[in-house]
Amino acid sequence: MSAVASAATASPAPTPLPAPAPAVDPTRIFVRLKLSLLRNGLKGSSKRKAAYFGSLAFALVVACFAMLGLAMLHGNAHAGTAVVLLAAILALGWTFMPLFFPTGDETLDPSRLVMLPLRPRPLVRALLASSLVGIGPLFTLCLAIGSVVAVARGTAGAVAAVVAAPLLLLGCVTLARAVATANVRLLTSRKGRDLALLSGLLIGVGAQVANFASQRLFEAGGLDRLEPVEAVVRWLPPATAVGMVDSASKGSYAVAAAQLALTVIAVALLLWFWERSLTKLMVTPDGSTIAAAKPSARRESAGGGAWSFLPAGRTGAVVQRTLRYVVRDPKTKSAWVTALAVGLIVPVFNALQGTGSVYLACFGAGMLGMQMYNQFGQDTSAFWMVAQTISTPREAYAELRARAYALALITVPYTLLVTTVTAALVHNWGGFPAALGLALALLGSMLCTGALASARFPYSIPTDGAFKNVVPGQGGLAWAGIFGGMLASAVICAPVIVLTIYLNVADHTSLTWIVLPLGVAWGTLAAWSGLRLAAPTVARKLPEILLAVSKG
């Protein structure tokens, strides 16, 4: 009995604690996540796969030719100036382009990671590793290799080149991520979405200013005029990495060491700033969208006011909806304002440089014609409401036709305005009818191909990012639809183009007025044909279109 009692009162043996789980490296997880996002974005559509791999192949071909072209500068007296300035341009591109034109990489959006139990320093390493996976980093690496090969001479230059190429890539990527993280709250707010309007204008105007400056530069003596600028830029990271190779090749080892140290210190400071911004993002509540409540203004009725000129029924409703998107939706407004600005800037700047032509007015028509592409993707997830009203090719045709009408309400008067301004600046009123007719023919051709591309190559536009224009995995599809449509537009418009060239080359300038009525008729016929051909495809593939545009 005593043995039984002692056994009953004895305490049970302690349960051993489970062994701690091994630490998981977030770097491997994020790289695998990046690869999974790219792989999953290609599932379910052979066209998407073809578009993606086609764009990848195109980028690789361009990168290889650029790398070979830079390598051929080896031994040139101005090679150092060219590649140092190219490194600075790469750094500027990596700084601002991810803000304005990102590819929709979800692994690089730190606001999605604030609820995860991750420390900032390992998270920085993981995000940096995943940032190095993609077409952009590969393209940059090719340019970096070509740049260092162009200036590397001797053993010291070769050793410096081996260090400089990855250091330049690391500096560019780190700079881009640090700037994006510091501004992520702005970019995901309404103010950030409105900033896209300004960014598009700045990029469009900046490109034309750069073109104007480059032409004046080469007219004034070429790269010799840039050597003072290069002497300053070679001390600005990450361009110092390429400057280090040039200095080492010339035997200036102290200067090369100083440039190497400056590059490493700059990358370290960027990593520190990135980690600090990431820490602030993860512990600070988002107040960027908090604003004082304001009394809503009285809204005008749907059928009154400025909309009273529209016809009743489906056509008027669709035209009004499309034009309201242009005014109210930040992304649509940004695309339209950029197209309107750049379409006028290009012919005007060329005219002011003395190299203009009245036929450059076609550039404005082409910029606005691109707004016809991805019509259903512009509606984002709201397209399902439109899809409820489309069940037959006739209803699909009415929807597409009304959208084309909305574009024509803006594009036709704008094309007339741009052609008039260009003809006045270049003092060529005799070419005004032909230029206007050719521009209208091009516009009609792009309405045709835009409708077909919207039906066959729809893609989603994300709603959660201010500057994200394509969801992951659909970037190649978007580029294929746009560039394929532009090439097809040129083919469709070819008869009018050939006639215009013939009349000018054969010195029949008195007959060029024929191009105006012919261009109007040809553009109208092309647009009508494209809408008719696209309508059955839209009605037949409506579920696929709805699925494609609703992924954002």
Side-chain angles (χ1 to χ4, degrees):
M1 293 294 293
S2 60
V4 174
S6 61
T9 57
S11 60
T15 304
L17 295 176
V24 179
D25 184 13
T27 302
R28 295 181 57 188
I29 294 177
F30 272 70
V31 172
R32 291 171 57 188
L33 174 62
K34 178 71 172 287
L35 295 174
S36 298
L37 286 173
L38 293 175
R39 183 174 58 253
N40 294 338
L42 300 175
K43 290 182 177 179
S45 174
S46 58
K47 291 187 298 184
R48 189 178 303 167
K49 293 179 182 178
Y52 176 79
F53 287 112
S55 61
L56 175 62
F58 177 76
L60 290 177
V61 170
V62 173
C64 290
F65 276 105
M67 182 172 60
L68 291 175
L70 289 171
M72 292 175 64
L73 291 176
H74 186 78
N76 188 284
H78 302 294
T81 302
V83 297
V84 168
L85 294 178
L86 175 63
I89 294 173
L90 276 176
L92 286 175
W94 271 95
T95 302
F96 295 106
M97 289 304 175
L99 301 180
F100 299 150
F101 305 105
T103 57
D105 184 1
E106 303 299 332
T107 64
L108 305 184
D109 186 358
S111 63
R112 296 177 176 270
L113 310 172
V114 294
M115 300 301 293
L116 299 179
L118 298 173
R119 293 184 178 275
R121 185 161 297 178
L123 186 57
V124 166
R125 291 196 300 266
L127 289 172
L128 179 60
S130 63
S131 300
L132 295 173
V133 178
I135 299 177
L138 180 60
F139 186 83
T140 303
L141 181 61
C142 292
L143 293 182
I145 293 174
S147 298
V148 298
V149 169
V151 293
R153 294 185 300 276
T155 304
V159 173
V162 173
V163 178
L167 205 55
L168 176 60
L169 174 62
L170 186 64
C172 290
V173 174
T174 306
L175 180 61
R177 293 304 99 207
V179 172
T181 303
N183 293 277
V184 67
R185 287 281 168 81
L186 172 64
L187 301 181
T188 54
S189 66
R190 179 58 185 264
K191 292 181 180 178
R193 290 192 294 270
D194 290 338
L195 183 63
L197 182 67
L198 177 62
S199 68
L201 286 175
L202 290 178
I203 291 174
V205 175
Q208 293 306 311
V209 172
N211 180 37
F212 181 81
S214 63
Q215 292 186 14
R216 286 289 181 265
L217 172 69
F218 286 105
E219 290 175 2
L223 290 175
D224 291 335
R225 304 292 296 271
L226 287 178
E227 289 183 357
V229 179
E230 182 267 343
V232 176
V233 172
R234 66 167 50 233
W235 289 99
L236 300 177
T240 46
V242 180
M244 173 194 65
V245 181
D246 191 32
S247 300
S249 300
K250 295 177 179 178
S252 303
Y253 301 122
V255 175
Q259 290 171 328
L260 174 61
L262 188 59
T263 307
V264 173
I265 292 173
V267 172
L269 289 176
L270 285 172
L271 289 172
W272 172 81
F273 176 73
W274 185 6
E275 181 181 349
R276 184 172 177 270
S277 301
L278 195 58
T279 303
K280 182 179 180 181
L281 177 68
M282 298 176 73
V283 301
T284 306
D286 183 8
S288 61
T289 57
I290 300 176
K294 298 179 180 180
S296 58
R298 180 172 57 89
R299 300 178 182 272
E300 63 182 12
S301 61
W307 309 108
S308 58
F309 71 94
L310 296 177
R314 182 183 190 121
T315 299
V318 174
V319 170
Q320 181 178 347
R321 182 184 71 227
T322 303
L323 295 179
R324 284 186 183 274
Y325 279 163
V326 174
V327 176
R328 296 181 178 178
D329 181 65
K331 291 185 178 180
T332 306
K333 179 167 59 177
S334 171
W336 271 93
V337 173
T338 302
L340 290 168
V342 176
L344 180 62
I345 288 171
V346 169
V348 168
F349 266 58
N350 279 273
L352 294 176
Q353 295 177 51
T355 59
S357 169
V358 68
Y359 294 101
L360 280 177
C362 297
F363 188 84
M367 289 294 297
L368 291 187
M370 291 178 62
Q371 307 308 312
M372 186 65 186
Y373 291 82
N374 197 34
Q375 277 292 305
F376 306 125
Q378 296 175 17
D379 295 349
T380 62
S381 57
F383 178 67
W384 73 271
M385 300 182 66
V386 178
Q388 304 300 316
T389 65
I390 299 176
S391 58
T392 63
R394 182 175 182 178
E395 293 173 342
Y397 171 72
E399 176 73 22
L400 289 171
R401 182 186 60 187
R403 291 173 184 250
Y405 282 163
L407 266 69
L409 284 176
I410 301 176
T411 55
V412 173
Y414 174 82
T415 302
L416 177 60
L417 172 65
V418 172
T419 309
T420 303
V421 171
T422 306
L425 290 176
V426 299
H427 306 290
N428 185 10
W429 290 106
F432 173 81
L436 181 59
L438 183 59
L440 294 176
L442 177 62
L443 177 61
S445 301
M446 297 197 74
L447 292 179
C448 167
T449 56
L452 293 171
S454 298
R456 297 182 178 275
F457 300 99
Y459 58 91
S460 179
I461 300 177
T463 57
D464 59 344
F467 304 102
K468 297 180 180 179
N469 298 315
V470 186
V471 299
Q474 292 187 343
L477 185 68
W479 285 107
I482 293 174
F483 280 103
M486 292 172 64
L487 292 175
S489 299
V491 173
I492 294 173
C493 194
V496 183
I497 297 175
V498 171
L499 176 62
T500 306
I501 294 175
Y502 170 76
L503 292 176
N504 283 276
V505 171
D507 201 20
H508 296 313
T509 54
S510 60
L511 299 177
T512 53
W513 64 269
I514 301 175
V515 180
L516 178 56
L518 179 62
V520 173
W522 191 269
T524 304
L525 178 62
W528 177 82
S529 302
L531 298 175
R532 282 292 185 186
L533 291 174
T537 304
V538 172
R540 184 177 66 256
K541 301 178 61 176
L542 191 60
E544 299 178 23
I545 297 174
L546 182 60
L547 180 62
V549 303
S550 301
K551 290 187 176 182

